[in-house]
Amino acid sequence: MSGIDTRVLAGRYRLLNPLAEGGTGTVWLAADETLGRDVAVKEIRLPPDLGPVQRQEIYVAALREANLAARLKHPSIVTVHDVIIEQDRPWLVMERLSGATLEQTVRERRPLPVHQAARVGVGILSALAAAHSAGLLHRDVNPGNVFLTRAGRAILTDFGLAVVDGEATSGRTGHLVGTPNYVAPERLRGERGSPASDLWSLGATLYFAIEGLPPHPAATSIAVINRVLTEPARPPERAGALGPLLMLMLDPLPEARPSFDTVSRVLGEVATGHPATAPAPAPAFVPAPHRPQPAPALRGVVQPRGAALWAAVEVGVVAVVIGATMGVVHLSADPAPVEKPVTFSEKPGAFTTPVDMCKLLPVADVRQLLPALTSEGEPTSTGGCQWVISGMGLEMSPSGLNKQWGKSPRQAHELFVNERNNVIPNGQVAWSWSDIDAGIRSARSTGPLPVKPAGSEAFGYDFYENRKTGRLEQSHVVFRVDNLVVDVAYTVVDGSKDGPAVQAGAHTAAVWVANALNKQKAGG
């Protein structure tokens, strides 16, 4: 147990007593003395023998958990209120939940009745739909991460293993990849996984809720993994009308699992006491396109679609680019204006293969923004490029990663709109960029801002330091050229430029990049 007894974080969150102990830290009951409410605060506890690099990785993972969960506004996803950087490490401030996890409920009491398990499934499936439509995979759906509140809600928690669709993960080390009993076989084989993998994990979780044991019970983790990879699931004995659906969800082949529409329909029928229609095996796991919706109603069509994915508004994408997490914790969810219908080409765009971003800008141009720059741009693992000096940096990323190469301008426009709609005013940002000597810092984001033309369409957003100077430190311009969407960020943390200069620098770089892409598109 942590040695902390009483502490006030950020001048407002007073730790009261521990609620739970986990592998990476302690969850505390805390009082938010500013708003007069109880919250849960997750303290990240680090082993004493960790080196600086390993500590930074854990800090980044904790920030990712907050950023990913906080940008998803859904009644079945735990609400993250704040991220506190205290003593150079993060603390996650979340809504306080009253109840118990599904795992605790089943082990300490009894398995759930079938109709109650179906209601849990409806809520968690809806939460996964919201995550997938935002381009996120949870990757660790299991009974310990499903919380049953006293009010009857099923809440999906712990996005610490979640991954943004398209985000490189090869550099992430020292972290578990999920709970073996609830990890889909394709992920155990080393594949990255898909929405169908989360569906398998949900099936295994509901199986446990009804049967009281996982679908591949075994004495050790190695034995579990072997059984998941080589044997079918144990036929359920108590599942009744849900039995056929669970077995389809647990099919070892992702393409043989049912669609989210089918799972939604059957779970809803069982939850409301109506006779369940027997699900038929789907010929392929290819749901129809889905756009993010603010309402919690279950839409059922959730598999992300290439370039139409929201590419994380500088959350997971830039996490890899700059070697640290940068993410927006949404503190409000006001709906963005509805986009007017516009006709865009459905044909594949001009950029059918990855563009070498570093070759778009010569050093002489970039030196106008980074006067001390002496080297070429450095390619990043996400297909972007960065130019860095102490205290200042320029970075650009193709939003949506390599998923968008060869897609149509219409799909790129959808990606652009999704990114703009998900930039929420007054979001809190926790980020760092070691290459420019910027340690972990706390900031506030603006909402989407109008900018002068860059590419075919563009918007901006800015990061202001949160607790010291209030200075604008980072400005972004997101723009589209044909089927390619690019996010350009200009960062100045040494105080050498004021806000308008930082904004002007980001826009200047965006125009340079857009002009270079248009020239490449024209074959020049």
Side-chain angles (χ1 to χ4, degrees):
M1 190 69 67
S2 170
I4 298 176
D5 295 321
T6 301
R7 174 174 295 170
V8 177
L9 303 176
R12 64 182 289 186
Y13 302 110
R14 184 176 298 278
L15 304 183
L16 301 177
N17 58 268
L19 295 173
E21 186 82 9
T24 60
T26 302
V27 178
W28 291 80
L29 171 63
D32 182 346
E33 296 180 336
T34 298
L35 297 181
R37 64 181 176 182
D38 287 342
V39 294
V41 176
K42 185 173 181 180
E43 171 197 356
I44 307 303
R45 184 184 60 221
L46 303 181
D49 58 344
L50 287 182
V53 174
Q54 292 171 303
R55 286 176 177 269
Q56 180 70 9
E57 286 182 346
I58 294 178
Y59 295 160
V60 167
L63 294 172
R64 289 184 71 257
E65 177 179 344
N67 294 324
L68 295 174
R71 78 189 200 201
L72 299 173
K73 300 300 181 182
H74 191 279
S76 287
I77 295 177
V78 67
T79 299
V80 176
H81 298 305
D82 205 352
V83 182
I84 302 301
I85 307 300
E86 192 93 353
Q87 296 185 345
D88 293 326
R89 60 193 178 108
W91 302 68
L92 314 183
V93 182
M94 303 168 287
E95 66 174 314
R96 184 195 176 191
L97 300 175
S98 179
T101 67
L102 176 61
E103 183 175 31
Q104 290 171 322
T105 300
V106 171
R107 295 200 184 282
E108 297 175 4
R109 302 175 189 175
R110 60 183 177 83
L112 303 185
V114 173
H115 72 279
Q116 185 178 353
R119 285 201 298 269
V120 170
V122 168
I124 302 305
L125 186 72
S126 181
L128 290 174
H132 294 166
S133 65
L136 302 177
L137 303 178
H138 188 280
R139 299 204 308 162
D140 197 23
V141 180
N142 69 74
N145 285 337
V146 173
F147 196 93
L148 307 181
T149 72
R150 292 178 182 174
R153 281 195 301 158
I155 308 292
L156 184 59
T157 68
D158 201 345
F159 276 74
L161 290 171
V163 62
V164 178
D165 188 273
E167 178 186 350
T169 58
S170 59
R172 194 178 304 152
T173 60
H175 304 297
L176 295 176
V177 295
T179 308
N181 274 304
Y182 304 96
V183 177
E186 62 270 20
R187 288 196 50 240
L188 291 177
R189 289 193 295 267
E191 300 172 20
R192 186 182 175 279
S194 68
S197 305
D198 277 350
L199 188 69
W200 192 99
S201 299
L202 176 59
T205 297
L206 296 179
Y207 185 108
F208 172 84
I210 296 170
E211 300 291 316
L213 74 168
H216 297 85
T220 66
S221 295
I222 296 299
V224 168
I225 293 172
N226 183 65
R227 292 197 63 183
V228 172
L229 290 175
T230 62
E231 300 177 18
R234 166 188 173 273
E237 299 174 356
R238 304 178 66 254
L242 279 186
L245 177 68
L246 294 180
M247 293 303 287
L248 283 174
M249 294 171 73
L250 293 168
D251 194 289
L253 298 177
E255 62 270 19
R257 295 168 201 155
S259 68
F260 272 68
D261 266 337
T262 297
V263 176
S264 170
R265 174 176 53 78
V266 176
L267 287 176
E269 290 172 351
V270 175
T272 56
H274 295 98
T277 307
F285 188 85
V286 186
H290 177 79
R291 294 288 299 276
Q293 300 290 333
L298 190 63
R299 300 284 177 171
V301 280
V302 298
Q303 186 165 354
R305 193 180 50 165
L309 294 175
W310 172 45
V313 190
E314 208 64 19
V315 179
V317 175
V318 177
V320 181
V321 172
I322 66 176
T325 293
M326 177 186 297
V328 176
V329 174
H330 294 168
L331 301 182
S332 63
D334 297 328
V338 177
E339 182 73 7
K340 294 181 180 180
V342 180
T343 301
F344 294 91
S345 173
E346 297 279 357
K347 297 180 180 180
F351 303 103
T352 58
T353 58
V355 174
D356 187 342
M357 293 287 176
C358 289
K359 290 185 178 179
L360 294 177
L361 298 182
V363 173
D365 287 350
V366 181
R367 195 175 291 124
Q368 297 178 44
L369 302 176
L370 308 176
L373 184 69
T374 59
S375 60
E376 301 284 341
E378 303 170 359
T380 66
S381 59
T382 60
C385 193
Q386 65 173 9
W387 295 260
V388 295
I389 60 176
S390 179
M392 303 175 67
L394 177 69
E395 181 273 328
M396 59 180 172
S397 299
S399 299
L401 300 175
N402 294 342
K403 291 282 187 178
Q404 67 178 300
W405 305 116
K407 299 299 182 180
S408 69
R410 178 188 61 78
Q411 290 170 313
H413 170 71
E414 289 181 358
L415 169 60
F416 174 87
V417 172
N418 283 344
E419 291 209 8
R420 186 185 62 199
N421 289 350
N422 282 281
V423 179
I424 306 299
N426 294 320
Q428 178 157 314
V429 177
W431 66 280
S432 67
W433 193 349
S434 59
D435 290 329
I436 65 170
D437 302 321
I440 293 179
R441 55 219 298 120
S442 179
R444 291 278 169 179
S445 74
T446 65
L449 304 172
V451 296
K452 295 179 182 179
S456 301
E457 49 189 337
F459 71 91
Y461 63 100
D462 297 328
F463 292 160
Y464 289 83
E465 191 180 31
N466 196 28
R467 291 192 173 88
K468 293 182 180 179
T469 65
R471 182 175 58 228
L472 191 154
E473 292 189 321
Q474 189 169 92
S475 185
H476 291 253
V477 174
V478 180
F479 64 90
R480 180 182 65 84
V481 172
D482 199 64
N483 64 310
L484 187 62
V485 178
V486 178
D487 190 330
V488 172
Y490 181 45
T491 305
V492 179
V493 297
D494 61 4
S496 60
K497 294 182 182 293
D498 61 14
V502 177
Q503 291 172 323
H507 184 265
T508 296
V511 171
W512 287 343
V513 176
N515 289 343
L517 289 172
N518 277 317
K519 183 178 180 180
Q520 188 173 116
K521 174 186 172 183

